[in-house]
Structures are given as C-alpha cells and as structure tokens.
C-alpha cells in the first residue's frame, strides 16, 4: 500500500478482554516499531522488529503485552486481560532501512471500559 | 538515558506571526533530532530532522530548526504562521550508533493554536 495501515482504527474493549491490533507496514520496509500514546502525551516506544526478529521489547509495559511479526511484514500487537490504563492510541511505524525516515500509521485508539 | 523537554504545552499565535516551539534534550552524546507534526486523528508526519552537518535544518511547510549543542536545544520556528499550522508538535531524539535501533524518544508535545 501507499502508507502504513493500522486496523482497527477504533477498538472498545471490556476490562479483562484480549485485543489484537494489526499493522501493515509499507511494502519492503525492514524495520517496524510500535508506540503507545496516552491522551495528551507523546508517544512512548514499545517494541522494535527488524524483519521477523523482535530486537527490542524493552518498552512493553507488562507481560500482558505481546507483539509478533512472523513473516517480516504484517505485525500484530496483542494485549491480554486489558485494563483501563491500557487505553491509548497505539501507533505503528515502518522504515526501509536504518537511517531512513520512519513512516507512521494513523493509529488504533483503544478504549478499555 | 535520553530525554526530551518541550517548554510550553500550549502555544497560541496570530496568523502571520512568528512561531517558536521550544525543545531541549538530555543525552550524553548529541543524538539525532526530529520534529513531528500530528493533526487530529492522524499519525505523525516528519517535519525535519538533524543528523549531521549544517545546524540549521529546513523542513516542510516553511518550518526550520537550529541545533545548538551548547544549549542542548533544537527549537522549531516558522516566520509566518498559517491557520493550517494548528496541530500538535512533537520533538524527538534517537540515539546514534550502529547498535541502536532508531527508536524515538518523544517530548510531551506542544499544541499550536493559530488565531485569525
């Protein structure tokens, strides 16, 4: 596609429910990042993939958060047993190689009720 | 550890006036520096970045920023504000070095309001 695509755009989950957020990066982009943006805050790094390898997951806030990119293209961020503090916009970004611009998707707004 | 501070969570200017959004960073080694813009319900768009070379960087939409190592600053400016500039602006840093992933550390953001 022309840009980074994220789905769904909006997700409402009941507390305790599991959710899966999808990111389709720009075709051919090697690197993929996930960020969490709480209301009124700047994005915070969650995890980084180079192809299918998850090289940095230092930003994942708890073991309820899990990300994968099994074939080095589409990535899924999964949150188990969602809690209210998980409510945020989840942004995905991809870039071709190191030292090139990262392009961001429009994000998925997750609301946990 | 790296950090970014954006002074002023909300800046209001009149159309045609100078825009100045402040950003200071903390890092043991000068990092890569970025400014992003975010329109409502949109992702982040890169305005400009500093990696090396000339310290005055020109970006899209008439914005520019100057890297000042002695002040650890990377303030964003635009000579004349336009109504379409109203948005959220984020300063970000990324560590240098081949072992770094390129992950971005963002400031809290500054909301720019442009009054007619």
């Amino acid at each position: 596609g022309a840009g980074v695509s994220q789905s769904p755009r909006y997700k409402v989950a009941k507390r305790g429910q599991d959710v899966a957020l999808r990111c389709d990066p720009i075709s051919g982009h090697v690197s993929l990042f996930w960020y969490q943006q709480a209301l009124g805050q700047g994005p915070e790094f969650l995890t980084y993939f180079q192809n299918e390898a998850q090289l940095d997951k230092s930003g994942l806030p708890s073991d309820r958060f899990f990300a994968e990119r099994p074939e080095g293209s589409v990535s899924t961020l999964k949150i188990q047993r969602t809690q209210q503090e998980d409510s945020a916009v989840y942004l995905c970004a991809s870039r071709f190689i190191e030292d090139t611009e990262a392009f961001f998707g429009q994000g998925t707004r997750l609301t946990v009720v | 550890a790296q950090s970014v501070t954006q002074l002023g969570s909300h800046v209001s200017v009149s159309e045609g006036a100078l825009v100045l959004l402040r950003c200071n960073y903390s890092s043991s080694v000068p990092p890569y520096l970025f400014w992003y813009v975010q329109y409502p319900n949109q992702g982040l768009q890169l305005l400009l970045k500093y990696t090396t070379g000339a310290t005055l960087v020109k970006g899209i939409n008439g914005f520019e920023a100057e890297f000042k190592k002695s002040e650890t600053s990377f303030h964003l400016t635009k000579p004349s504000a336009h109504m379409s500039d109203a948005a959220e602006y984020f300063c970000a840093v990324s560590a240098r070095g081949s072992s770094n992933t390129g992950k971005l550390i963002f400031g809290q953001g500054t909301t720019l309001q442009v009054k007619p």
Side-chain angles (χ1 to χ4, degrees):
Chain A
V4 178
S5 177
Q6 292 188 245
S7 60
R9 287 293 314 278
Y10 303 92
K11 175 70 178 178
V12 178
K14 291 184 178 180
R15 192 172 57 176
Q17 185 179 355
D18 296 349
V19 299
L21 311 180
R22 177 186 171 105
C23 173
D24 282 84
I26 295 172
S27 179
H29 277 199
V30 170
S31 300
L32 187 145
F33 301 84
W34 283 99
Y35 292 86
Q36 179 190 59
Q37 185 177 18
L39 187 64
Q41 304 293 317
E44 292 191 355
F45 170 79
L46 292 177
T47 188
Y48 164 71
F49 288 88
Q50 183 172 306
N51 293 308
E52 70 279 2
Q54 189 175 21
L55 299 183
D56 187 346
K57 53 182 181 180
S58 61
L60 296 176
S62 77
D63 59 6
R64 295 187 297 104
F65 286 71
F66 172 76
E68 60 183 5
R69 194 186 184 198
E71 297 179 357
S73 55
V74 171
S75 178
T76 303
L77 176 66
K78 298 179 179 179
I79 308 173
Q80 297 177 323
R81 305 180 304 281
T82 53
Q83 301 177 4
Q84 281 194 314
E85 60 262 32
D86 299 335
S87 295
V89 175
Y90 291 85
L91 295 167
C92 176
S94 72
R95 67 179 185 190
F96 179 47
I97 54 174
E98 292 177 9
D99 294 335
T100 59
E101 179 182 349
F103 293 87
F104 283 80
Q106 292 183 298
T108 294
R109 182 178 298 277
L110 173 65
T111 302
V112 181
V113 297
Chain B
Q2 298 176 316
S3 66
V4 178
T5 301
Q6 291 184 238
L7 299 176
S9 60
H10 191 100
V11 170
S12 181
V13 301
S14 298
E15 190 174 19
L18 171 71
V19 175
L20 170 61
L21 304 182
R22 300 178 186 272
C23 173
N24 288 85
Y25 68 89
S26 174
S27 177
S28 56
V29 176
Y32 297 133
L33 296 154
F34 306 79
W35 275 100
Y36 285 86
V37 61
Q38 186 176 36
Y39 297 99
N41 298 316
Q42 299 293 317
L44 297 162
Q45 181 182 12
L46 181 66
L47 281 176
L48 49 80
K49 66 178 179 181
Y50 172 76
T51 56
T52 187
T55 56
L56 181 62
V57 181
K58 295 186 184 299
I60 62 172
N61 301 340
F63 284 94
E64 61 182 36
E66 185 171 11
F67 167 56
K68 293 187 176 180
K69 183 179 177 180
S70 61
E71 299 177 7
T72 61
S73 68
F74 191 57
H75 301 331
L76 181 70
T77 61
K78 181 173 180 177
S80 177
H82 192 272
M83 296 297 291
S84 62
D85 294 327
E88 188 82 10
Y89 291 81
F90 292 96
C91 181
V93 301
S94 176
R96 295 179 182 268
S98 58
S99 63
N100 293 295
T101 61
K103 68 182 180 185
L104 296 164
I105 308 299
F106 287 89
Q108 298 280 72
T110 298
T111 302
L112 176 65
Q113 179 187 25
V114 182
K115 297 177 292 185

